[in-house]
Amino acid sequence: MTFANRHIGPDTDEQTHMLKAIGYASLDALMDAAIPEVIRWHGSLNLPAAASEEETIAELRAIASQNRVTTSMIGLGYYGTHTPAVIKRNVLENPAWYTAYTPYQPEISQGRLEALLNFQTMVTDLTGLTTANASMLDEGTAVAEAMTLAKRASKSKSMTYVVDADTLPQTLAILRTRAEPLGIDLQLVDLDAAEALPGEYFGLHLQYPGASGAVRDHAQLIEAAHAQGALVTVAADLLALTLLRAPGEIGADIAAGTTQRFGVPLGFGGPHAGYLAVRAGLERSLPGRLVGVSKDADGAPAYRLALQTREQHIRREKATSNICTAQVLLAVMASMYAVYHGPAGLREIAKRVHNHALTLAGSLTAGGVEVAHNAFFDTVTAVVPGRATEVVAAAATAGIDLRLVDGDRVSVATDETTTDAHVAAVLQAFGVRGTAVADCGAKPLARTSEYLTHPVFSSHHSETSMLRYLRKLSDRDYALDRGMIPLGSCTMKLNATTEMEPVTWPEFANIHPYAPAANTAGYERLVATLEEWLAEITGYDAVSVQPNAGSQGELAGLLAIRGYHRSRGEAHRDVCLIPSSAHGTNAASAVMAGMRVVVVACDDLGNVDMTDLHAKIDRFKDQLAAIMVTYPSTHGVYETSIADLCAAVHEAGGQVYVDGANLNALVGFARPGKFGADVSHLNLHKTFCIPHGGGGPGVGPVAVRAHLTEFLPGDPLEPGEHHAVSAAAHGSAGILPISWAYLRMMGPDGLAAATGTAVLTANYVAARLREHYPVLYAGNNGLVAHECILDLRPLTKATGVSVDDVAKRLIDYGFHAPTMSFPVAGTLMVEPTESEDLAELDRFVAAMIAIKGEIDQVAAGVWPAKDNPLANAPHTASAVTADEWEHPYPRSVAGFPEGVDRTAKYWPPVRRIDGAYGDRNLVCSCPSPEAFED
Ligand SMILES: *Cc1c(COP(=O)(O)O)cnc(C)c1O
């Protein structure tokens, strides 16, 4: 059996059965009927023929072996760390964690929500602030979001943002990328030179400790900034904060940074969880997802995503940020690292790291080498006039990479993995003999306050207890390892084990993003091949995998369009047309790219309203920068008007951005780069098998036609013409082997078969459910693309049963709900994908039909509108087995509805959660254990 036959759920017989049900003789016939000829591509992908799982692993081993794993002491925000084996195997390599979806259905997500609440508590405790979100994409983008947060929250009218010159260089690059389109003026200030601050500024950014390693007392600067109405962000190293005064304690309004060194492998730059925390009063301006505590129908504490109305799904161009997919899996790992080590353990690690730095500094000084700062945590900058290159080369010979700052300076960063032998080898590279311990000047900044005092951080220090805690949490959650997750617009397909395996190989996991090129040939080859394959699949000329989420791909693509117009002297083109049905990230990204959003209406069939489009093009002709359309449409339909749409926009001088998140309906059959688009982003965490991780990681490559190639993202460490959108040149490189393996194992035929099967399963589900729930929108021949929208509005109107009720009742039937109320309120959007076999599809269809039967009972008055299995869903084991049962339907109907396997029932841990209560009473850190007593 080939890998494609393992990846694609339905076998030939099952496909024949489904084709028959929808009236087509073959997959080819179905695709011919579904896909409009204007976009159809009849070629065959020029990709290598499918390799077996074993061959693919062997090829990846060969590629991996071209990477050289060294001891990295480069630092700059990326550090060696020991991932506790219990966390590596039971989180990072465990499908119960990595195949989960974003916790929009909180009742089936309590495990990861608790882990994220631990993450938020860890961040707020260490930073000394009150509210932290549930992760950012990396430190650079977290700091950039802090800048825009400061702009929104500051009363100052100034457009000046003051930035500590000792900021990480990659962070500076991203700040530049983000500031320019918004008209924000960055002013670098050298704090050591005591340079004067400008008269007026809306925000101040400080790095703590600095990129050079220096630890400075920022309290006075912060006071001065506040005095003139500016907000202050401190980018802080969380491990250092176990020993140093917290940003909140020295007056910071915002703290941002990374949690990578809390047990998350380097991965050549990612994925890692960035963090962002704010003081009281700013929580409602916070970007990203935020976990909060609320209560369920029994009044028991329960977790959920809080303040979602801030997010781009609802606020669109007025959102706090475009961030959607974040870094949940990595945030879970970092939080578990803190749970495993506890406050004392973290402090011990930090002291060891610091002691190694003290020995380095002391020995260098004793050996006659000047050390640039006397107050530091883990990074020592040595001044070696004219000798820096030589020292770095000598260390490299000993297998240790140091940071070459310039011809005269070398930085050495110690971390959790640093040993006495490493320190000795580094000293030798400097030509220093004998050791001495420096006296650190950071003592006045020593931390005195407690942190991680919640019992969760001191209860699971034995491996047995840790293992059971991880199991307890993952058992509360529903992920792809239990059953299908039919989420529209999210493509929850198989994440094959063979694709996942290479991620934790040391040759991929333990490479610093700024490692010397000589050590990263394997990664460069992997990235180049993957970019080439993605260009072939999309029909574009060039691809960059740098963006570490779809949202960042959008920003990168729009910045490319912006750069293009500017290069042609048309900087005034700033209008971005966006259809009303678009994903919320589109509008939010356009604003970040400095564009004005103009909404284009959709017609009754869900297509872009061409009359309105032409009217808007006429109105904004000379200002038109771009249109952003999703294809197939957000409504899951292949629109035939796409070619006309592209032509009309081009004629007016605009560029066409096709949101390619739904590429699962196109691969092998249509290529956006050839049917009229200029730029797209793809979501490797949708179409190309990177698991969703419970809400991240992701990779959002940006693909462009030749005329936009020069505007693709550039290396953040090589500032110049090219904007960087992520802190590392190849973004979340550590998970690229997943998509590489998928493409290698599927080959051109397998990929086309996957697309065909995805369209088949969507049309099969639509056909089977159509008589029970109207299917909204269809394209050619009444066919949908890869997903379908079930309209519940007539039923809701007649019976009061809502989409929420159906979504929660599906939990009782053992399913994750489809996408709720997007893109149309009151509907469910179902995307079955090619990976679900007929039995699972039929099980889902049967559950939906049975639920329709239950709605009919409500309609008929058999069950009251307020007390029925739908209104009370989901039912917990505790509710069903309660000594008292006063509902008008039996317990068996509540807990074991039709088709549920009684021996393998998934029981949600909480009843329906009250969302509004949690938003009114915002609690975003771990509740005390007493809260759980009745
Ligand atoms: C998922 C999605 C996005 C956003 O991607 P993220 O990785 O979550 O940032 C954008 N557009 C569409 C159509 C999507 O489905």
Side-chain angles (χ1 to χ4, degrees), residues 131-154:
T131 309
N133 72 11
S135 75
M136 298 298 286
L137 291 163
D138 58 24
E139 172 158 348
T141 55
V143 166
E145 298 280 0
M147 171 178 73
T148 44
L149 198 170
K151 183 75 201 92
R152 283 194 302 278
S154 165

Side-chain angles (χ1 to χ4, degrees), residues 324-325 489 549-551 554 583 585-586 630 659 661-662 681 683 685-686:
C324 181
T325 290
S489 208
S551 59
E554 290 176 19
H583 196 276
T585 49
N586 290 182
T630 302
D659 180 329
N662 292 343
H681 79 271
N683 275 356
H685 47 302
K686 293 178 181 172

Side-chain angles (χ1 to χ4, degrees), residues 139 143 146-147 161-168 171-172 175 187-192 197 201 203-211 214-226 231-237 247 250-257 275:
E139 172 158 348
V143 166
M147 171 178 73
Y161 194 59
V162 178
V163 180
D164 177 355
D166 203 9
T167 294
L168 298 174
T171 298
L172 277 176
L175 281 173
Q187 284 214 14
L188 250 57
V189 172
D190 182 344
L191 301 177
D192 288 340
L197 267 50
Y201 52 99
L204 168 66
H205 171 83
L206 300 165
Q207 185 91 41
Y208 181 65
V215 172
R216 302 182 176 90
D217 185 349
H218 294 305
Q220 277 185 330
L221 262 180
I222 294 176
E223 215 172 294
H226 283 162
L231 267 69
V232 180
T233 298
V234 172
D237 179 308
I250 55 174
D253 303 283
I254 307 168
Y275 76 81

Side-chain angles (χ1 to χ4, degrees), residues 315-394:
R315 297 268 290 162
R316 310 180 79 85
E317 66 270 20
K318 296 192 185 67
T320 49
S321 148
N322 69 341
I323 188 170
C324 181
T325 290
Q327 301 280 21
V328 169
L329 187 70
L330 305 312
V332 170
M333 287 182 73
S335 77
M336 290 303 170
Y337 179 93
V339 167
Y340 196 47
H341 288 297
L346 290 183
R347 202 177 165 86
E348 208 175 285
I349 293 168
K351 278 189 167 157
R352 207 170 64 228
V353 169
H354 183 50
N355 284 338
H356 278 131
L358 288 175
T359 305
L360 265 173
S363 311
L364 286 171
T365 311
V369 175
E370 185 192 339
V371 168
H373 309 99
N374 76 333
F376 51 83
F377 167 60
D378 63 358
T379 300
V380 176
T381 297
V383 184
V384 280
R387 262 195 339 122
T389 312
E390 182 194 315
V391 170
V392 170

Side-chain angles (χ1 to χ4, degrees), residues 351-666:
K351 278 189 167 157
R352 207 170 64 228
V353 169
H354 183 50
N355 284 338
H356 278 131
L358 288 175
T359 305
L360 265 173
S363 311
L364 286 171
T365 311
V369 175
E370 185 192 339
V371 168
H373 309 99
N374 76 333
F376 51 83
F377 167 60
D378 63 358
T379 300
V380 176
T381 297
V383 184
V384 280
R387 262 195 339 122
T389 312
E390 182 194 315
V391 170
V392 170
T397 318
I400 297 176
D401 293 325
L402 308 180
R403 177 182 173 219
L404 180 72
V405 181
D406 54 32
D408 303 327
R409 286 176 302 164
V410 176
S411 275
V412 189
T414 58
D415 61 46
E416 184 189 6
T417 67
T418 303
T419 62
D420 293 347
H422 294 140
V423 172
V426 170
L427 291 173
Q428 202 174 3
F430 278 97
V432 166
R433 260 175 243 258
T435 56
V437 179
D439 190 20
C440 186
K443 290 211 172 69
L445 284 165
R447 179 166 190 147
T448 52
S449 58
E450 287 194 299
Y451 46 85
L452 307 186
T453 52
H454 189 276
V456 75
F457 297 106
S458 47
S459 307
H460 307 296
H461 297 172
S462 81
E463 182 165 329
T464 299
S465 178
M466 187 69 197
L467 178 70
R468 290 178 185 158
Y469 182 54
L470 290 172
R471 176 64 189 256
K472 178 171 100 173
L473 294 190
S474 62
D475 270 358
R476 289 181 183 166
D477 288 13
Y478 184 104
L480 276 179
D481 62 338
R482 286 187 194 271
M484 80 189 285
I485 303 184
L487 279 154
S489 208
C490 288
T491 318
M492 298 295 288
K493 55 160 72 172
L494 171 74
N495 315 118
T497 312
T498 297
E499 291 155 7
M500 295 300 294
E501 264 182 354
V503 171
T504 47
W505 294 349
E507 296 85 350
F508 286 130
N510 299 343
I511 306 284
H512 192 284
Y514 314 139
N519 297 349
T520 62
Y523 258 123
E524 296 299 342
R525 193 174 136 203
L526 182 92
V527 168
T529 337
L530 184 58
E531 289 181 345
E532 191 186 304
W533 291 346
L534 293 173
E536 168 65 13
I537 287 169
T538 53
Y540 284 104
D541 298 301
V543 172
S544 164
V545 297
Q546 186 182 104
N548 46 16
S551 59
Q552 308 305 297
E554 290 176 19
L555 178 63
L558 290 167
L559 289 175
I561 291 175
R562 178 182 158 88
Y564 172 74
H565 288 312
R566 294 172 89 80
S567 75
R568 293 158 46 95
E570 302 209 316
H572 55 277
R573 289 190 176 271
D574 68 345
V575 165
C576 186
L577 301 177
I578 299 184
S580 59
S581 64
H583 196 276
T585 49
N586 290 182
S589 299
V591 170
M592 288 167 65
M595 296 187 184
R596 283 185 288 152
V597 173
V598 172
V599 176
V600 180
C602 286
D603 65 19
D604 294 342
L605 300 173
N607 300 318
V608 173
D609 181 335
M610 293 300 282
T611 313
D612 192 45
L613 176 74
H614 286 294
K616 297 274 158 72
I617 289 178
D618 276 349
R619 189 160 145 219
F620 295 102
K621 213 175 182 69
D622 301 332
Q623 295 136 282
L624 185 62
I627 187 165
M628 253 184 132
V629 282
T630 302
Y631 203 86
S633 75
T634 323
H635 295 138
V637 172
Y638 294 109
E639 287 178 69
T640 43
S641 55
I642 184 75
D644 294 342
L645 178 149
C646 294
V649 171
H650 281 147
E651 201 178 317
Q655 293 280 290
V656 177
Y657 188 115
V658 164
D659 180 329
N662 292 343
L663 211 72
N664 215 41
L666 298 180

